[in-house]
Amino acid sequence: MRVMLRAHLDTAATNEGIKTGALPQSIKKLMDKVKPEAAYFGLHEGVRSCWIVFDLQDSAQMPPLMEDLFLQFNAELEVGPVMNAEDLTRGLAAMESSG
């Protein structure tokens, strides 16, 4: 299932992670594991944030994928299903044919 991970990272923890190199290493490790369809990085509500869209095969993948963000960067995380335009078109067409 296509999901979007939204992570808001603690400023003090990410400042330290930038100094030590832990932040880029953790982001690279996460990217290598999830092989994202898209990944964006920026500010949200005044803190470093990222939005990563990827295919989550099994919900049991979530703890090993996200634990570094919690432990090292005091992240606030959300994961939820998302659709692209093609998915939405198919979903809406299925509603029309069943109604």
Side-chain angles (χ1 to χ4, degrees):
M1 172 184 298
R2 179 182 286 117
V3 297
M4 180 184 294
L5 165 66
R6 293 174 294 270
H8 305 284
L9 308 171
D10 178 74
T11 300
T14 53
N15 286 347
E16 187 62 26
I18 289 168
K19 290 177 190 174
T20 65
L23 181 61
Q25 289 173 358
S26 289
I27 296 296
K28 182 181 182 332
K29 181 178 165 185
L30 179 60
M31 297 292 109
D32 289 347
K33 285 181 181 178
V34 302
K35 301 189 182 357
E37 175 181 318
Y40 301 95
F41 304 88
L43 296 176
H44 185 259
E45 297 180 355
V47 297
R48 292 179 180 108
S49 301
C50 64
W51 300 263
I52 302 169
V53 178
F54 64 98
D55 186 30
L56 183 67
Q57 297 290 321
D58 182 348
S59 59
Q61 292 175 280
M62 292 193 324
L65 288 175
M66 298 168 205
E67 216 44 50
D68 277 354
L69 296 175
F70 282 127
L71 293 173
Q72 291 188 11
F73 307 111
N74 301 322
E76 294 180 21
L77 303 175
E78 295 178 29
V79 177
V82 293
M83 296 179 282
N84 63 19
E86 182 182 311
D87 297 334
L88 179 61
T89 299
R90 284 195 334 259
L92 293 174
M95 288 176 56
E96 291 171 3
S97 66
S98 67

